[in-house]
Amino acid sequence: MPVCPKNVPLALPDDNVKRALMREFDTNKDGRLSKEELAAFFKKLGSHFPGLRAFRAMHHADGDGDGFIDDHEMKELIDCARKWGYIVI
């Protein structure tokens, strides 16, 4: 499992984190994360406002502006979550 509440360490290589995130949160299996799927990710992390976190993460990580986080944008998503104090390693 690649996500956990704040301050609970979990060590996985980045490629494994990306695959595990997609496997768990890409509910429609289209190979990318929507804002709703990101909200589920942040809810699992323990966010009190997962919709807001998803909105902000989309703004920061969606480099091509298509409204989804795909494989090449996952690193930025993970970096955002870490910057906000969530441990996703």
Side-chain angles (χ1 to χ4, degrees):
M1 181 73 201
V3 297
C4 55
K6 289 183 179 183
N7 302 321
V8 179
L10 179 64
L12 292 174
D14 278 347
D15 285 342
N16 290 350
V17 171
K18 290 179 192 179
R19 280 192 297 273
L21 283 173
M22 282 295 187
R23 205 173 27 250
E24 181 167 351
F25 296 103
D26 181 19
T27 55
N28 63 358
K29 306 300 182 206
D30 64 353
R32 54 194 190 161
L33 298 176
S34 67
K35 190 173 116 179
E36 293 77 18
E37 291 165 335
L38 284 178
F41 166 68
F42 282 106
K43 184 174 182 177
K44 179 89 175 205
L45 284 173
S47 173
H48 294 288
F49 304 101
L52 177 62
R53 286 289 185 205
F55 175 80
R56 291 185 65 207
M58 188 67 72
H59 175 76
H60 290 289
D62 184 19
D64 58 13
D66 66 353
F68 296 92
I69 303 297
D70 54 33
D71 190 53
H72 71 276
E73 297 164 332
M74 288 293 288
K75 181 177 178 352
E76 187 64 31
L77 171 65
I78 293 167
D79 290 347
C80 283
R82 289 175 178 159
K83 182 178 85 173
W84 295 332
Y86 298 102
I87 298 178
V88 184
I89 54 175

